[in-house]
Amino acid sequence: MIIEKIESKKTYSFTVAKKMDGLLFTFVMVLAILNVFSPLRLNTDSVRYLNILEYLNGYLSNNSIAAHDFYPVGYPRFIQSLDKIHILNSFSITFINILAVTTSGYLLAIVFEIERKLLFLSFLLLSFINIKHFSLSIADHLYLLPFTISIYSFSKVFKGNYKFIVPAIIFAFLSIYLRTAGIVIFSGVIFYILYMKKHYVFSNKYILGLLILVVAASTIFFGLKLPLLEQKVSYIKQLEINSMLQHPITIIERLCIHFKEIGEFMINLPASKVESSILKAYNISDYIFIFIGLITFIAIGRIVFVHRLYKHFAFWVFFSYCSMIFLWPFYDPRFLIPLIPALIYLVIPYLNTFIKQGSATIIHTIIFVSFGFISMLYSNAMSLNKGFFLKHYGTSLELTNQYKMHFDKAEKRPAEPNLELDKNRELYLLDKYDK
């Protein structure tokens, strides 16, 4: 009888919690959807994608920068399809990005076996990194969808449901078509197979010898053909491998950049928002975020090994992606977007059984959610108030002035740009696509 009462109480508490999760998710989703009314938000990468679209539509010549841009053509083709049916605007871009994140989060909640799925989705939508990029015409959020579908499908395949092999492969290639980083899905497959067959590989001297030979040959080939590979593959060129080999100290610099990004994710606040003159002068805020990111990284590593999360296929894909990011020599928190669902799962209590709901984790959750709502309301204010938008969006006075001209539309401007020109074209792009 006592056991039945305890179980009944647990069931009641869980039911109440799920209802509260539903209310929170609904509220967060409403706030997120309000961003569909934002002016078209431009940054360097969104301008580049729109320029590639202009080239594909015949508005820029073969001599333009867009004609030789190294970005995968998948996202420009996608927005080209929106353009052809006359719905390429901030409304559709933002709505599709939010839908992609929500759908991806739901599928990963299944993969991670999260019971409180709506709570997980709420945390996902409240990440300032996601909020910042919802209204941008860049590939990252759309890429997240086939990336996640492929992980979900491969997870099914490795559990014996082989009918998912076709969608797993198709969506893996689709993710590569959107962003070259999609290749981590196949590297994750290789790592997971090696992990599952590790006893066979290490006990068979012929297989082990062949594996060592392949790794050695690949390393030698990569070293000898590095200049050629840098010419052919933009990602390899931008890794600046020679610089890293000649100056090993730069490896620490790269690590610090990405620890800072993880630190920002944990606090759910960009470092730029806490930089006073003193903090900025001595880089104190950077050191704080780097330290938080380092501690988080160590804590996640401990969770992975103690709870043997490497037994799951998804771990190897995220491990591959994380390795790729940590090699990248440039700072940009948006590259964490594919990792955010896994990071939330690993650092937020209430979503799994291996994080105790102690005071520290509860305080962190409160901080994360609080800054998430502040970021969401800040974004809403820019979306719904053009005066607020002009005052706070972007870091360039030139871009602000182009937005002012676009909002005013007092001057007559040419319908089409010079075919050779695809720099400083924000005003033209705003007039054409911000409808």
Side-chain angles (χ1 to χ4, degrees):
M1 180 65 83
I2 295 176
I3 294 176
E4 289 179 357
K5 286 183 178 180
I6 292 174
E7 291 297 325
S8 177
K9 188 174 181 180
K10 285 183 178 179
T11 303
Y12 175 76
S13 298
F14 185 72
T15 302
V16 171
K18 293 195 76 171
K19 287 182 179 179
M20 295 299 293
D21 294 348
L23 290 173
L24 175 63
F25 173 73
T26 302
F27 183 56
V28 172
M29 179 58 79
V30 169
L31 292 179
I33 288 294
L34 287 175
N35 286 291
V36 299
F37 301 109
S38 172
L40 181 64
R41 301 188 189 184
L42 297 180
N43 68 356
T44 301
D45 290 325
S46 64
V47 168
R48 287 175 63 189
Y49 276 123
L50 290 172
N51 277 333
I52 296 173
L53 169 63
E54 291 282 291
Y55 169 73
L56 293 175
N57 285 338
Y59 298 128
L60 288 173
S61 75
N62 291 330
N63 296 321
S64 64
I65 296 173
H68 306 283
D69 204 316
F70 57 79
Y71 274 0
V73 76
Y75 191 75
R77 288 296 185 189
F78 170 74
I79 56 178
Q80 184 183 41
S81 66
L82 297 182
D83 188 37
K84 286 183 177 180
I85 57 177
H86 309 292
I87 61 168
L88 177 56
N89 50 43
S90 181
F91 187 102
S92 61
I93 288 168
T94 305
F95 182 81
I96 290 169
N97 284 343
I98 293 172
L99 181 63
V101 170
T102 308
T103 306
S104 300
Y106 185 81
L107 290 175
L108 286 174
I110 297 174
V111 172
F112 296 151
E113 299 179 347
I114 296 173
E115 291 186 339
R116 300 178 66 176
K117 293 179 177 60
L118 294 181
L119 183 64
F120 176 67
L121 294 178
S122 298
F123 286 126
L124 194 58
L125 291 172
L126 284 172
S127 169
F128 88 88
I129 300 173
N130 281 330
I131 294 169
K132 180 180 178 180
H133 296 94
F134 278 146
S135 301
L136 286 171
S137 54
I138 55 178
D140 298 79
H141 280 134
L142 188 65
Y143 159 80
L144 183 62
L145 187 56
F147 176 76
T148 302
I149 294 174
S150 185
I151 291 174
Y152 173 81
S153 300
F154 269 120
S155 296
K156 291 285 189 180
V157 171
F158 285 119
K159 290 180 179 178
N161 199 338
Y162 298 111
K163 67 181 180 182
F164 280 89
I165 187 65
V166 173
I169 295 173
I170 289 174
F171 283 103
F173 278 110
L174 183 57
S175 70
I176 296 172
Y177 188 56
L178 289 167
R179 275 192 63 201
T180 311
I183 194 70
V184 298
I185 295 173
F186 291 113
S187 62
V189 169
I190 293 171
F191 285 140
Y192 185 61
I193 291 174
L194 288 174
Y195 166 73
M196 288 194 302
K197 303 296 182 181
K198 61 183 181 297
H199 297 299
Y200 177 72
V201 170
F202 287 102
S203 63
N204 189 311
K205 61 182 181 181
Y206 298 107
I207 298 294
L208 181 60
L210 179 61
L211 182 62
I212 293 172
L213 182 63
V214 169
V215 172
S218 299
T219 303
I220 294 171
F221 174 81
F222 187 85
L224 293 175
K225 298 295 183 179
L226 182 59
L228 177 63
L229 291 171
E230 287 181 333
Q231 290 180 9
K232 298 293 184 180
V233 184
S234 176
Y235 174 77
I236 295 177
K237 180 181 179 180
Q238 292 182 84
L239 284 178
E240 300 177 1
I241 294 173
N242 279 325
S243 174
M244 187 169 54
L245 294 175
Q246 294 171 9
H247 307 283
I249 191 68
T250 60
I251 297 174
I252 297 176
E253 294 174 1
R254 295 184 189 207
L255 293 175
C256 287
I257 284 173
H258 301 302
F259 287 143
K260 177 183 175 182
E261 293 167 350
I262 295 174
E264 289 178 303
F265 158 79
M266 281 294 288
I267 302 300
N268 207 13
L269 186 71
S272 60
K273 297 301 181 182
V274 297
E275 288 180 342
S276 67
S277 57
I278 297 177
L279 290 178
K280 189 172 184 179
Y282 296 98
N283 293 323
I284 294 175
S285 61
D286 285 351
Y287 293 132
I288 292 172
F289 282 105
I290 290 169
F291 177 75
I292 293 171
L294 176 60
I295 295 301
T296 302
F297 189 80
I298 294 172
I300 288 175
R302 181 179 178 278
I303 288 172
V304 167
F305 282 99
V306 170
H307 298 279
R308 298 194 294 177
L309 299 184
Y310 47 78
K311 294 171 64 177
H312 303 280
F313 164 71
F315 164 80
W316 293 100
V317 178
F318 288 116
F319 169 79
S320 299
Y321 186 88
C322 190
S323 300
M324 177 182 286
I325 292 303
F326 270 79
L327 284 172
W328 191 245
F330 307 111
Y331 166 83
D332 194 340
R334 77 181 171 92
F335 291 125
L336 289 182
I337 286 175
L339 289 175
I340 289 175
L343 290 173
I344 288 175
Y345 171 67
L346 290 170
V347 302
I348 301 288
Y350 325 112
L351 298 176
N352 50 55
T353 58
F354 48 74
I355 296 182
K356 295 180 180 179
Q357 298 179 24
S359 57
T361 56
I362 293 173
I363 290 172
H364 169 250
T365 304
I366 293 171
I367 291 172
F368 187 94
V369 172
S370 298
F371 281 129
F373 275 115
I374 291 171
S375 296
M376 189 75 81
L377 293 172
Y378 182 84
S379 182
N380 290 157
M382 285 198 295
S383 296
L384 302 174
N385 187 310
K386 289 182 178 179
F388 191 87
F389 182 92
L390 289 172
K391 185 176 180 180
H392 295 280
Y393 185 73
T395 57
S396 164
L397 180 60
E398 180 183 357
L399 180 60
T400 300
N401 289 333
Q402 297 210 44
Y403 270 106
K404 284 181 180 177
M405 293 173 65
H406 168 64
F407 291 153
D408 184 36
K409 291 194 176 179
E411 298 181 11
K412 291 184 178 180
R413 294 184 285 274
E416 301 297 344
N418 186 310
L419 283 174
E420 306 299 327
L421 180 66
D422 56 352
K423 282 186 176 181
N424 304 319
R425 299 171 68 248
E426 289 87 352
L427 181 59
Y428 164 75
L429 296 173
L430 286 170
D431 286 344
K432 186 170 183 179
Y433 297 111
D434 185 36
K435 304 169 185 176

